[in-house]
Amino acid sequence: MDILQEEITRRSVVVGTGALVVSFSLGRAFAQEPPATPPVSLPGSLDDDRFLDSWIRIDAANSVTVFTGKAELGQGIRTALLQVAAEELEVDPAEIQLVTADTGRTPNEGFTAGSQSMQNSGTAIRNAAAQVRALLLAEAAKRFGVAATELKAENKSVLARDGRSVSYGELVSGQILHVEAQPQSTFKQPGTFRVIGKSLPRVDIPAKVTGQPAYVHDLRLDGMLHARVVRPPSPAAELTEFDGGGVEAMPGVVSVVRDGSFLAVVAEKEFQAVNAMRTLAAAAKWQEQETLPDQVDLPAELQKLEREVGTVAEAGMLSSGGKVFEATYTRPYQIHGSIGPSCAVALMKEDGTLDVWSHTQGVFPDRAAIAEMLAMPEDKVHVVHMEGSGCYGHNGADDAAADAALIATRLPGKPVRVQWMREQEHSWEPYGPAMLVKVSATLDAQGKIASWAYDLWSNTHSTRPGGAGALLAGRHKAQAFQPKPARLSISASGNGDRNANPLYVTPNKRVLWHFLPDMPLRVSALRALGAYANVFAIESTIDELALMAEADPVEFRLRHMEDPRARAVIELAAERFGWNDAQMPRNHGRGFGFARYKNLAAYLAVAMEVEVAPETGRVRVMRAVSAIDSGEVVNPEGIRNQTEGGILQSISWTLYEAVTFDRTRITSTDWSSYPILRFASVPDSIEVHIVERPGEPFLGTGEAAQGPAAAAVANAIRNATGKRFYDLPFTRDRIRDAVGGV
């Protein structure tokens, strides 16, 4: 009998009341003993919601429901979490109902971000499922009068060797499992897995490809009204006057809503709302001013915004002897580029409660922000996650939810749907922040890195959780909320400084974060945060140092790498790519990139071949070969999906994407002024090779590719053209101006 089962059978298991309950502290309640010591830490998100019934419930009808505070964002997390729960519960995944991110039903797991869903929620659910299985076995053993080791769980039942069986539903008598979790669980062994490690079809895909309701955009409620918001023409604009009379008389218009500089129109049908919005926008008058920097001088402007400097890493003493390489790298503002503009639905009910359906990444933080904005108690606001058509970080989802909530309070009893326009999404979503990086590195006589100095200028890369001041509606109200001040905070996972400390062995190094509390444009988390630019800068520098050392770039990386799991993905990617020193065809180049995301999550290496057309400046990635170590593999195809998507998105960022603006307004307001990767430029092949690590912790996958893929593109262009490019993105104009005619 395992430890958990022994522990359970020694405690009171109450069945007669219809609930399966284990009590840990009844004696203390009556004896009035001194306060207990702090509870022991529990794995993953269990530490924040410690009772098993917060995660798993079984009813008398033998139905199994699993709860997660994480949201499906297109990363396939619903499928992976179902697999984890099904494996440990000995249940077919199709037999489980999974409830995601709902402030009225699920645990509070904060944000679905940082590639941590499997690390946090997957770990919690796996432990909870294993402990529920052990608890059910122990209760069945008690009923049958046998040892739990003589029983097995199978297909929502517990079976005895003599043929007797009892369903899970019978064991819990139709009630919940209100049992505090234990810090240790007995998991199934990898060799016995039925669903973990298998590429099960993703449960979120069928509706999306068959046109069924899949997104919050598809939500239709009885009596629903449609609203459109009139956004200011520029970030600092203030509404001075408007004439809503003509708009209110337009067909289908129900209401015009104004609160300070927040202006919206509500109509019975969507296109009526769009027409009314355009008419209202033409009638509105705004006071504008120049508040944005000269885009050409953006790097210098970032340096002027520095307020304090934090030390991210420091070892040894910097040296000046040997060969020196110095460079400055820049990243522009970039957008999330969600294909479907942000959307939300809100309903202010007659009982004074507010329901909001949103594609936010954090239903609980969004609830808190909306409640603050509306001066409502949090328990009166209910936020339910529904998918949005595109995410990649903190886009306009929270803002659209706030728009809908504010408008809905003016029209109680009527569901209000708000959808942004394309130009609003491009102009008003919180951008991925611009960055500046300066590197100075030296090589010793043996061709090894002797000294590494790295300086980055960046903000936190996240305005979450930011309260009402992080919401556009909150900022634009007459009684406006101000954003919370940003603070320098250096942590293991990093944010603006994420991956700024290289994993390579460097005896003497100093990594400094020049902190920018304020940015000229509104910013927040974009996929991978600072890791994208930091890995690009680090890996570009590593390639230049390899050239100085007259070493192969892959061999040079291995020369400075001690982590065996890092070495494994570097070697695997190089092997499967066919990495060698053979001469490439004219205008072709090969490049390599590596990082361990956050220096504590997934390992990823990627090799790429590119073709550069000097006359036009067009860069085309021909093929990409990657290797990834995400810890224990739950759904291999899910890992491949995420890695392929990350590589493609990073190629798009690296070759095409930059927000443009003048001194007053954003100018990249559509797909022509903000181009992204098109199908014609997708690589001919992308390979993802997975390093399997049975029994190892989950490491996450979603953001591992962003930095290495950018570096591989940059290094391949360097190999093809003989020129290093330091400023993202590597547009056709930049490439053509530098190498045209070569």
Side-chain angles (χ1 to χ4, degrees), residues 616-652:
T616 64
R618 182 179 187 237
V619 175
R620 180 154 189 264
V621 179
M622 309 296 291
R623 64 187 182 112
V625 179
S626 64
I628 184 168
D629 175 352
S630 294
E632 177 129 54
V633 176
V634 175
N635 189 315
E637 196 60 29
I639 292 175
R640 293 189 186 96
N641 293 161
Q642 282 294 284
T643 304
E644 290 172 2
I647 289 170
L648 290 174
Q649 186 178 49
S650 185
I651 291 172
S652 183

Side-chain angles (χ1 to χ4, degrees), residues 79 83 93 194-196 198-203 634-638:
T79 307
Q83 288 180 252
R194 297 179 303 104
V195 290
I196 285 182
K198 305 295 192 298
S199 290
L200 267 61
R202 279 177 45 180
V203 297
V634 175
N635 189 315
E637 196 60 29

Side-chain angles (χ1 to χ4, degrees), residues 228-231 239 241-242 256-265 280-281 284 286 476:
R228 284 294 190 276
V229 177
V230 177
R231 292 288 178 215
L239 182 62
E241 60 179 284
F242 81 101
V256 172
V257 177
R258 181 189 179 181
D259 188 338
S261 290
F262 181 86
L263 186 60
V265 62
L280 190 58
W286 303 85
H476 292 158

Side-chain angles (χ1 to χ4, degrees), residues 390-414:
C391 181
Y392 323 119
H394 182 188
N395 61 4
D398 293 17
D399 297 304
D403 294 340
L406 178 57
I407 297 168
T409 61
R410 308 297 178 90
L411 297 160
K414 290 288 187 179

Side-chain angles (χ1 to χ4, degrees), residues 345-521:
V345 177
L347 169 62
M348 189 71 188
K349 295 187 289 191
E350 301 295 344
D351 63 2
T353 60
L354 175 68
D355 289 341
V356 181
W357 292 265
S358 169
H359 53 111
T360 176
Q361 285 184 275
V363 290
F364 285 91
D366 201 27
R367 177 183 71 172
I370 290 171
E372 180 187 5
M373 180 185 73
L374 299 176
M376 291 179 63
E378 280 191 34
D379 62 3
K380 296 293 187 182
V381 180
H382 176 209
V383 180
V384 182
H385 178 267
M386 290 187 68
E387 282 194 75
S389 49
C391 181
Y392 323 119
H394 182 188
N395 61 4
D398 293 17
D399 297 304
D403 294 340
L406 178 57
I407 297 168
T409 61
R410 308 297 178 90
L411 297 160
K414 290 288 187 179
V416 176
R417 179 182 181 273
V418 172
Q419 181 168 313
W420 286 14
M421 307 298 287
R422 171 52 53 193
E423 64 272 15
Q424 293 175 339
E425 189 77 26
H426 277 229
S427 300
W428 284 99
E429 66 140 86
Y431 301 130
M435 289 178 65
L436 170 68
V437 170
K438 294 187 177 184
V439 186
S440 177
T442 63
L443 287 179
D444 62 19
Q446 288 73 45
K448 298 191 74 172
I449 302 172
S451 183
W452 180 275
Y454 189 92
D455 293 78
L456 70 122
W457 282 260
S458 173
N459 79 316
T460 64
H461 280 245
S462 183
T463 55
R464 302 179 306 192
L471 304 173
L472 288 177
R475 294 188 186 190
H476 292 158
K477 281 165 54 76
Q479 293 184 331
F481 291 86
Q482 297 303 313
K484 293 180 180 178
R487 301 186 187 281
L488 174 66
S489 177
I490 296 174
S491 63
S493 61
N495 36 73
D497 62 324
R498 182 167 292 177
N499 277 98
N501 184 18
L503 203 62
Y504 301 106
V505 175
T506 51
N508 305 293
K509 65 180 175 182
R510 184 204 66 209
V511 179
L512 299 180
W513 182 3
H514 301 260
F515 183 65
L516 318 178
D518 300 305
M519 295 288 279
L521 296 176

